[in-house]
Amino acid sequence: VIDIHGVRLLVMNVHLPWKSALKREELMVDMVESAHIFECDYTVIAGDFNCSENSSVHRYLKGDQSLLGSEAYFVDLAEAFAEIEGSSPKATLDVRNNPRYRDEKGCSTNTIEINQRYDRILLKNPFPKAYPRLSAFGIFGTKVSPVTELCASDHYGVFADLEFEINV
């Protein structure tokens, strides 16, 4: 929980398992349902969800389906910013361009999987509180190090700039 000039923000960081959809569902429902124990104005869930935008976990968080008898309603900040910019959210698991997925000749070793957006930042619908202003969203960690010839990770990172109304 972060207090910024009286605005209380709960930030929950995730790194869900990639091998089990059932485990991802159980963990996400547990996180969402346990968030109420913190008295906060806003709730953010961010991190590596290890599942696509078509997954049950993503649909659950956006309020498009229930999971294990639970409901949630979060806003996907990458989708919101892409709409503002007239673009599409960028993949964070880039199996074509990230050097971690290339052989010693520089050729992509993964010809089966498609690029996905596994890393996200979602804001719980704060109604009746005012929505913060989303002023920026992007990915980072895409640069290849000249020393290691790798990016920082096998996934690219995500960031969002939110401006909250502060009553001073």
Side-chain angles (χ1 to χ4, degrees):
V1 176
I2 303 166
D3 189 304
I4 306 167
H5 301 288
V7 175
R8 292 180 52 83
L9 177 66
L10 172 62
V11 179
M12 300 182 342
N13 182 38
V14 302
H15 189 175
L16 299 178
W18 64 273
K19 285 186 177 183
S20 173
L22 180 59
K23 192 65 176 168
R24 285 191 299 271
E25 291 175 352
E26 291 169 349
L27 289 167
M28 191 49 49
V29 168
D30 186 46
M31 285 185 73
V32 167
E33 290 188 344
S34 64
H36 77 277
I37 64 173
F38 301 97
E39 288 187 32
C40 292
D41 300 305
Y42 299 94
T43 301
V44 171
I45 297 178
D48 181 353
F49 290 82
N50 268 318
C51 55
S52 77
E53 297 164 88
N54 295 320
S55 70
S56 57
V57 166
H58 192 66
R59 289 191 314 269
Y60 162 70
L61 287 171
K62 288 184 55 181
D64 293 335
Q65 79 169 64
S66 61
L67 270 185
L68 308 172
S70 177
E71 295 179 304
Y73 184 41
F74 285 76
V75 176
D76 183 326
L77 297 182
E79 289 179 2
F81 196 72
E83 183 176 290
I84 292 167
E85 294 287 302
S87 62
S88 298
K90 294 182 176 150
T92 60
L93 176 65
D94 184 353
V95 297
R96 302 286 173 258
N97 299 303
N98 190 321
R100 290 180 185 269
Y101 300 102
R102 295 186 179 179
D103 62 19
E104 62 280 347
K105 294 177 185 173
C107 298
S108 177
T109 58
N110 193 330
T111 59
I112 302 299
E113 289 185 281
I114 59 172
N115 293 342
Q116 297 279 332
R117 191 168 62 90
Y118 280 5
D119 306 87
R120 303 184 197 57
I121 303 172
L122 297 107
L123 172 73
K124 185 175 183 183
N125 183 329
F127 184 83
K129 294 193 182 309
Y131 276 93
R133 182 177 181 276
L134 177 60
S135 57
F137 190 95
I139 63 172
F140 64 92
T142 61
K143 290 185 180 175
V144 178
S145 164
V147 176
T148 65
E149 297 182 349
L150 295 172
C151 294
S153 175
D154 61 329
H155 293 213
Y156 303 143
V158 292
F159 72 89
D161 287 342
L162 294 170
E163 298 171 13
F164 295 91
E165 206 173 280
I166 297 174
N167 297 322
V168 192

